[in-house]
Amino acid sequence: MEESFPMTGGDGPYSYAKNSNLQKEAAENAKALLVAAITKNLEINKQKICPISSSFRIVDFGCSTGPNTFIAVDTIIEAVSKTFHDHVPEFHVFFSDHVSNDFNILFTNLPKDRTYFAAGVPGSFHRRLFPRASLNLAYSSHALQWLSKTPAEVEDSSSPAFNKGKIFYAKAAEQVGEAYRRQHEEDMASFFNARSEELAPGGLLAILMSGREDGSSPAQSSLGPFLAPLESTLVDMANEGVISHEKLDSFNLPIFSPSPEEIRKIIQKNGCFEISRLELQPRTFRPMIITPEQCRAGFESIISKHFNDNNNNQNIVDQIFSRYSKKIEGCSPISADDKSIATGLFLSLKRKS
Ligand code: SAH
């Protein structure tokens, strides 16, 4: 069963719409790579990719609620238009995310002066969402690190991969990281299989996601430093009896940061794509921590699904985030030199003919 934990909807203080600056900055850092991937690859055979009679079809997988998706789409359309010079095609843009994503706020915030036709496509990107060979360019930013589910072993007390007292694979036993890596491999293989059917020959796939250095083990290098204060908050609450240890042990974030080499193997196994670029982004971000608002925008839905039950109410979720606020007051910000944090991974692929 596919799990789905959308970003916090609406446009309130804890919404993704108001708290997605980190992802925006990372996309800005990768903008030149995205534009180059488009212009370089589309120049080669654009008429074959998009005959003048049909529209140029773009999709953003894991678009969330905006505004980052609108910025990305504008960048993509500008780059594609440049390569078509005076024969610019009409653009059809598909905004795709889980069914539970707040598509209402996404549609409400669609730019009024947009130069494209827009549509929403609900469903998981781990399976087919479009007709065969119907897409010209697929994009995804900061979404593919989400797994389809938490690997079962990490919540099984009889397994060597049981992740007791932790919420993630950072600094966990090697078997925990391995279980996550296997789940990620399976999910990415499903993603590439679906896209290899949907992309037209010569079509492009550009991905920005979190990644870690080649040669590092998952436990060594991950989003761990960002998530440590949340883990520590939940451990405190279990130790004080506010939540049960059982609840803590059965909570694991289904997120994974792969290395370029891990991604390369999955693409090669698929066989339908040519790799144009596959690289880690330099760590350019300033020292920081995830603010309570950013943490809530990203994780409120998964936390509330797990920790809210009939005996307690929204109260427990508020308590988790209010303790998180206090917790980070005592944390030193993470520096860009810290090699143990994930960085951006940029990937551009071309569907073989
Ligand atoms: N692309 C945006 C939003 C990233 S937030 C940006 O860069 O700011 C991650 C998004 O991925 C969320 O909206 C989440 O619902 C979506 N997502 C995660 N797993 C998904 C899946 N299997 N299928 C579709 N969307 C998914």
Side-chain angles (χ1 to χ4, degrees):
M1 247 300 269
E2 178 102 3
E3 293 175 7
S4 137
F5 309 106
M7 304 299 100
T8 303
D11 56 4
Y14 305 124
S15 63
Y16 189 77
K18 291 265 160 72
N19 294 288
S20 46
N21 261 357
L22 290 180
Q23 292 84 346
K24 181 176 168 214
E25 281 172 30
E28 274 164 5
N29 289 334
K31 183 175 168 178
L33 283 174
L34 174 63
V35 170
I38 294 171
T39 44
K40 181 172 152 252
N41 286 296
L42 280 190
E43 259 322 326
I44 297 165
N45 205 349
K46 58 197 175 216
Q47 292 310 330
K48 201 168 128 207
I49 293 168
C50 175
I52 217 71
S53 57
S54 63
S55 58
F56 190 96
R57 286 175 297 273
I58 298 166
V59 53
D60 183 5
F61 288 108
C63 61
S64 190
T65 53
N68 296 349
T69 185
F70 306 131
I71 300 170
V73 165
D74 284 348
T75 301
I76 291 168
I77 289 186
E78 197 187 321
V80 174
S81 299
K82 272 198 186 127
T83 65
F84 277 89
H85 307 291
D86 36 342
H87 292 105
V88 177
E90 288 190 312
F91 291 100
H92 203 172
V93 177
F94 300 97
F95 294 93
S96 185
D97 209 296
H98 275 306
V99 174
S100 51
N101 182 51
D102 188 351
F103 280 99
N104 281 334
I105 195 84
L106 174 87
F107 291 155
T108 307
N109 290 336
L110 270 168
K112 302 281 173 286
D113 56 352
R114 62 188 180 274
T115 54
Y116 50 86
F117 297 95
V121 176
S124 169
F125 52 52
H126 292 121
R127 58 181 180 80
R128 279 282 299 278
L129 292 167
F130 291 91
R132 190 156 288 123
S134 66
L135 298 172
N136 302 105
L137 193 151
Y139 172 78
S140 182
S141 158
H142 295 98
L144 277 157
Q145 69 276 4
W146 282 95
L147 303 174
S148 64
K149 57 177 191 252
T150 300
E153 308 94 288
V154 307
E155 288 166 7
D156 171 1
S157 61
S158 66
S159 163
F162 182 45
N163 201 20
K164 189 169 173 48
K166 299 187 59 58
I167 65 164
F168 197 52
Y169 57 79
K171 299 196 173 135
E174 198 187 327
Q175 291 93 331
V176 177
E178 272 308 299
Y180 268 87
R181 201 190 50 69
R182 278 196 301 275
Q183 183 64 50
H184 182 260
E185 192 177 310
E186 193 182 298
D187 288 343
M188 284 304 279
S190 309
F191 177 84
F192 288 125
N193 282 341
R195 301 308 76 83
S196 60
E197 303 241 20
E198 296 166 349
L199 276 158
L204 306 183
L205 175 54
I207 294 170
L208 187 59
M209 66 189 290
S210 75
R212 44 170 242 280
E213 260 137 61
D214 279 331
S216 63
S217 74
Q220 265 176 334
S221 177
S222 62
L223 294 164
F226 287 122
L227 298 171
L230 180 61
E231 180 168 276
S232 166
T233 300
L234 293 168
V235 169
D236 288 352
M237 290 172 82
N239 288 341
E240 289 170 32
V242 183
I243 56 173
S244 68
H245 280 281
E246 208 181 358
K247 267 274 179 218
L248 171 64
D249 295 344
S250 56
F251 182 71
N252 286 279
L253 292 170
I255 296 178
F256 186 75
S257 297
S259 69
E261 215 31 57
E262 284 164 359
I263 292 282
R264 185 185 303 278
K265 278 194 194 134
I266 304 167
I267 296 164
Q268 282 167 347
K269 208 164 166 189
N270 173 282
C272 297
F273 294 99
E274 204 180 291
I275 301 178
S276 312
R277 281 309 265 259
L278 170 54
E279 62 193 50
L280 291 178
Q281 298 287 95
R283 288 189 170 79
T284 49
F285 44 82
R286 50 197 166 15
M288 61 182 173
I289 33 179
I290 299 186
T291 67
E293 292 78 15
Q294 288 163 340
C295 187
R296 199 158 180 159
F299 299 123
E300 176 159 4
S301 75
I302 189 168
I303 285 178
S304 109
K305 212 168 192 171
H306 186 82
F307 291 100
N308 252 346
D309 52 38
N310 295 333
N311 301 326
N312 57 47
N313 44 41
Q314 182 60 20
N315 190 347
I316 196 85
V317 177
D318 289 336
Q319 208 185 127
I320 290 171
F321 288 108
S322 116
R323 280 171 176 252
Y324 177 87
S325 282
K326 294 205 183 79
K327 176 72 69 182
I328 59 171
E329 278 168 21
C331 291
S332 36
I334 302 154
S335 131
D337 301 328
D338 186 337
K339 289 273 180 293
S340 68
I341 31 172
T343 179
L345 185 150
F346 179 81
L347 169 64
S348 78
L349 304 175
K350 194 159 85 176
R351 176 69 172 92
K352 290 181 187 165
S353 298

